[in-house]
Amino acid sequence: MRKTDRNESDVIFILLGFSDYPELQIPLFLIFLVIYVITVVGNLGMIVIIKINPKLHTPMYFFLSHLSFLDFCYSTTIAPKLLQILIVEDKTISFAPCIIQYSFAVICVVTEAFLLAAMAYDRFVAICNPLLYALVMSQKRCSLMLTGVYTWGIISSIIFIYSLLVRSFSGTNIINNFLCEYSAIVSVSFCESHLMENIFFILANFNTFFTLGIVLTSYIFIFITILKMKSASGRSKAFSTCASHLTGVTIFFGTILFLYCVPTSKSSWLLVRVSTVFYAVVIPMLNPLIYSLRNKDVKETIRKLMEMPVRWCSG
């Protein structure tokens, strides 16, 4: 039973965000607004490009289109509220919207971690077992993998949300961040649940290190295979097929591991907020840039799309 002495509708969270730097509110608003616009255009554009270009109808880009979808959803879950609290005095969010924001964020983050692991496996099969690639990474198997990834993201979200719902909160709670995040929400609760804390700890670590283990194992075999190639051009081509993914994985998991290492003392809250900004706002913007700038087919499709208005005007 959840011990609570008040209705959930009476529980209010105050998201401090960057309110301790009032002179930066407007500049930060403009910066984050530009980042959000680029994120939306970049990720939705990537989905459209993959959809209209038959050359990109491969397992790697099938997963990439869903990565762009997740980045769009994650950014849209976080950025609007961040922009709001930067320019309005009312920085409150009620219990239900706070929990909903957190639940969608968990689904996106967990799903993205497992999706990046699936993409690493795809690169492993493509480079280490190219003759079996079409069989191993069939459309049916890719769809099953994707279904499993989304399903596990939803299951993880349900478990994490339940671990918060069994807690009790006072009427007004101050969160020293710009989003509803687990540790920040737990820090303002006054009902301890060691069992749920242990379950959260185990599941969070499983999601992080299991997916990271798949990525590292895949790339160990990939690098071994590349080093065994006799042709320099073959090694260059093989490495180029996974360079973008490796860059995205390094940024994603590097930021997660950095946040793991940040102490939870009050003096570290600014570092936590800055790291969370990079994780929740900047990375979703970087992914479409990383995957598009290093891919000839994507750049060619972008070029053709940009030429279309010119052709219409000249015609």
Side-chain angles (χ1 to χ4, degrees):
M1 294 288 292
R2 177 169 176 247
K3 299 176 182 178
T4 180
D5 55 359
R6 62 177 66 243
N7 193 293
E8 289 177 352
S9 61
D10 298 328
V11 177
I12 297 295
F13 297 100
I14 300 176
L15 301 174
L16 294 183
F18 296 91
S19 57
D20 43 347
Y21 300 94
E23 70 281 1
L24 295 178
Q25 300 294 295
I26 299 301
L28 286 175
F29 171 82
L30 297 175
I31 292 172
F32 292 145
L33 178 61
V34 171
I35 290 175
Y36 179 59
V37 171
I38 295 174
T39 301
V40 171
V41 174
N43 284 289
L44 293 183
M46 181 66 73
I47 294 173
V48 172
I49 289 170
I50 293 173
K51 184 71 174 179
I52 65 177
N53 189 344
K55 291 183 179 180
L56 303 179
H57 294 175
T58 63
M60 181 176 70
Y61 291 102
F62 172 71
F63 291 134
L64 179 56
S65 64
H66 284 273
L67 179 65
S68 294
F69 172 72
L70 289 170
D71 282 336
F72 165 75
C73 292
Y74 187 43
S75 181
T76 301
T77 299
I78 303 300
K81 189 62 181 181
L82 170 59
L83 294 172
Q84 178 187 342
I85 65 175
L86 283 171
I87 59 172
V88 300
E89 293 184 4
D90 184 9
K91 303 180 186 301
T92 61
I93 182 172
S94 57
F95 184 84
C98 185
I99 295 299
I100 291 173
Q101 183 194 60
Y102 175 70
S103 65
F104 277 104
V106 170
I107 292 174
C108 292
V109 172
V110 174
T111 303
E112 181 162 337
F114 277 85
L115 184 60
L116 288 171
M119 294 173 71
Y121 177 74
D122 170 75
R123 293 299 84 204
F124 159 74
V125 177
I127 294 174
C128 300
N129 298 285
L131 298 178
L132 297 176
Y133 182 74
L135 178 63
V136 175
M137 301 303 296
S138 63
Q139 184 176 357
K140 181 179 180 180
R141 181 163 296 183
C142 289
S143 298
L144 288 174
M145 291 172 64
L146 191 66
T147 301
V149 162
Y150 277 103
T151 301
W152 184 248
I154 294 172
I155 292 174
S156 295
S157 177
I158 292 173
I159 295 173
F160 290 158
I161 291 303
Y162 180 76
S163 69
L164 292 177
L165 293 179
V166 297
R167 294 177 173 273
S168 295
F169 302 89
S170 59
T172 301
N173 307 273
I174 297 177
I175 294 180
N176 198 5
N177 212 326
F178 60 87
L179 77 168
C180 293
E181 177 263 331
Y182 186 87
S183 60
I185 298 175
V186 168
S187 67
V188 298
S189 68
F190 57 84
C191 176
E192 294 186 358
S193 177
H194 295 296
L195 175 61
M196 295 311 302
E197 285 181 5
N198 291 334
I199 292 175
F200 172 84
F201 179 80
I202 293 172
L203 185 56
N205 280 278
F206 168 78
N207 289 337
T208 301
F209 293 105
F210 178 75
T211 52
L212 184 58
I214 294 176
V215 171
L216 291 176
T217 302
S218 298
Y219 275 103
I220 288 173
F221 283 105
I222 287 172
F223 289 142
I224 291 174
T225 302
I226 292 176
L227 291 175
K228 288 182 179 179
M229 294 179 179
K230 297 180 180 180
S231 170
S233 60
R235 288 195 298 269
S236 177
K237 183 178 179 181
F239 182 76
S240 65
T241 62
C242 57
S244 297
H245 177 258
L246 184 59
T247 303
V249 163
T250 301
I251 295 174
F252 181 84
F253 285 102
T255 308
I256 290 179
L257 294 177
F258 178 78
L259 286 172
Y260 264 87
C261 299
V262 175
T264 56
S265 61
K266 291 183 179 179
S267 61
S268 67
W269 276 116
L270 176 60
L271 185 59
V272 170
R273 278 179 286 174
V274 173
S275 302
T276 306
V277 164
F278 187 79
Y279 181 71
V281 179
V282 178
I283 289 180
M285 177 193 68
L286 291 179
N287 277 337
L289 298 177
I290 291 171
Y291 285 97
S292 62
L293 293 177
R294 297 186 61 90
N295 187 281
K296 294 181 180 180
D297 290 327
V298 173
K299 289 191 289 186
E300 179 66 19
T301 305
I302 294 175
R303 186 184 64 80
K304 290 181 179 179
L305 289 175
M306 294 179 66
E307 289 177 353
M308 289 176 63
V310 177
R311 293 174 181 174
W312 290 339
C313 293
S314 60

